[in-house]
Amino acid sequence: MPFSRVIGQDTPVDVLRRALRSGKTAHAYLFEGIEGCGKRTTALAFVEAAFCDRDDGCGTCPSCRKMATLQHPDLHLVEPDGAFIKIDQIRDLQRELVLRPIETPLKACIIRDADRLNPAAGNALLKTLEEPPGNALMILLTTNLDGVLPTVRSRCQLLRFAPLPERLIEEQLIAAGRDQAAARLAASLAGGSLGKALEEDEGVTVDRAGLLERLRTLSLSDTASLFAAAEEMAADREQAMEQLEVLTSLLRDVLLIQGGSNAVINRDILPLLENEAARLSRERNLERINHTTEARQALMRNANPRLTLDVLLMRLAG
Ligand SMILES: [Zn+2]
């Protein structure tokens, strides 16, 4: 997994490449960014380059080949076991890190979801971060920076990974064999996550017509059905985020229609979108896009889904 496989993350990749070239890598890094934007790919590329004799990872030496299949004996991967990363996992890691590297100049570990260390595991990891074994490279990944213990965070060099531009995701989907229209729609709904866009092979599963209908019937004078709708949407956080992504895409199309553009993405339900465009003002539509985006970001930051959706649906109805 060489650096050339990382898409659209030039800034953090440059920082890491320069650190390798100058021989001044930090002991610990914290990569922050949404799911599926390239944190893990970058971490693997970084370790591969650090392990390989040639500066950016040659891809062909025995070490690089072992990295490609994640079978390298000096690489240790940690991810949550159930909801949390547990103390036993950190103890295993510590035992591993104090051993001499087997095939390379250093040992490396990648810890996924560093915001999900339980308190005991977090404190144990802190000890290692405070007194790192001389030849260890630690990379922590998180989608939720606020959830990472401040003491852990302060001992890592933070690198931020931006959501990927739609254009890049679309290109990748087309390269992966999707037709242009499907790629465009999926890219617009992916929220900057290539991983998510690639995952959704079967395309969009949200009932877009149903969502528009719900939007049309929301009413502040019928709060019982409004809260029932919020409850239903909030039952599954992942699904709620997906619905909000789709909703954003629909409202953006409505805005395009209102502005006289024909670059609509959800072209297959154009008449429904046109109805919606005729029903409300451009200003009001913009407000709704902002509310929806805010709610989606709140869910990404782990806000309570039920509260978030109660507030959102009231705002959309008002
Ligand atoms: Zn190599």
Side-chain angles (χ1 to χ4, degrees):
M1 190 81 63
F3 277 123
S4 57
R5 289 280 296 278
V6 180
I7 312 284
Q9 296 296 357
D10 296 351
T11 307
V13 165
D14 281 350
V15 170
L16 296 171
R17 278 181 148 152
R18 267 187 277 126
L20 283 170
R21 288 194 185 130
S22 65
K24 286 180 185 154
T25 51
H27 277 295
Y29 290 88
L30 177 58
F31 292 2
E32 181 267 339
I34 61 166
E35 193 74 53
C37 71
K39 300 183 299 299
R40 184 167 180 273
T41 308
T42 305
L44 288 170
F46 184 42
V47 172
E48 179 170 319
F51 281 177
C52 179
D53 292 339
R54 298 178 217 176
D55 113 313
D56 272 356
C58 66
T60 52
C61 73
S63 168
C64 286
R65 287 210 303 271
K66 284 176 194 166
M67 278 301 295
T69 54
L70 301 181
Q71 301 296 319
H72 202 294
D74 294 318
L75 171 69
H76 195 94
L77 300 172
V78 180
E79 55 182 66
D81 172 13
F84 292 104
I85 298 172
K86 295 168 183 154
I87 188 155
D88 287 346
Q89 295 175 273
I90 298 301
R91 289 203 177 117
D92 283 348
L93 171 68
Q94 287 168 329
R95 274 192 288 273
E96 192 71 36
L97 289 182
V98 296
L99 299 174
R100 290 176 69 82
I102 299 170
E103 296 182 3
T104 53
L106 75 168
K107 285 203 163 275
C109 74
I110 300 174
I111 302 177
R112 228 188 63 189
D113 296 316
D115 48 286
R116 284 158 68 186
L117 287 153
N118 74 18
N123 283 324
L125 181 66
L126 196 56
K127 293 219 173 67
T128 305
L129 289 170
E130 280 167 345
E131 294 166 37
N135 47 7
L137 172 64
M138 306 178 68
I139 306 169
L140 284 64
L141 315 181
T142 185
T143 55
N144 172 22
L145 193 57
D146 291 339
V148 179
L149 288 173
T151 42
V152 166
R153 188 172 149 178
S154 69
R155 281 169 181 81
C156 299
Q157 181 179 340
L158 178 65
L159 289 184
R160 289 181 186 270
F161 286 65
L164 297 170
E166 275 180 36
R167 183 82 224 145
L168 267 183
I169 296 179
E170 188 181 333
E171 280 169 18
Q172 291 300 310
L173 293 175
I174 290 171
R178 304 271 188 94
D179 71 57
Q180 188 137 22
R184 178 133 186 263
L185 177 57
S188 78
L189 298 178
S193 168
L194 176 61
K196 193 170 160 40
L198 285 169
E199 228 170 62
E200 280 167 9
D201 266 345
E202 69 281 18
V204 184
T205 52
V206 174
D207 170 12
R208 286 167 296 155
L211 206 53
L212 277 178
E213 176 63 15
R214 171 165 283 172
L215 198 61
R216 202 178 60 75
T217 52
L218 282 176
S219 160
L220 281 180
S221 55
D222 182 8
T223 47
S225 20
L226 190 149
F227 289 135
E231 185 173 16
E232 191 197 309
M233 286 175 83
D236 177 333
R237 176 190 295 272
E238 289 296 315
Q239 213 175 297
M241 287 202 279
E242 198 184 340
Q243 296 208 35
L244 296 191
E245 275 161 35
V246 171
L247 185 56
T248 309
S249 147
L250 294 169
L251 291 172
R252 207 163 44 178
D253 277 353
V254 171
L255 193 66
L256 285 171
I257 293 169
Q258 289 175 325
S261 160
N262 59 1
V264 170
I265 287 169
N266 299 277
R267 192 153 281 289
D268 53 324
I269 51 168
L270 189 59
L272 297 175
L273 295 168
E274 284 171 343
N275 282 345
E276 193 64 16
R279 197 171 69 81
L280 67 158
S281 74
R282 196 151 183 269
E283 239 165 33
R284 177 72 187 120
N285 191 32
L286 266 175
E287 270 173 31
R288 301 217 281 186
I289 292 175
N290 290 338
H291 291 325
T292 309
T293 308
E294 266 170 33
R296 190 173 142 199
Q297 286 167 348
L299 288 180
M300 281 179 175
R301 288 192 308 266
N302 256 342
N304 179 309
R306 181 65 208 273
L307 281 176
T308 307
L309 285 159
D310 278 354
V311 171
L312 174 65
L313 294 194
M314 282 196 288
R315 284 176 167 166
L316 293 180

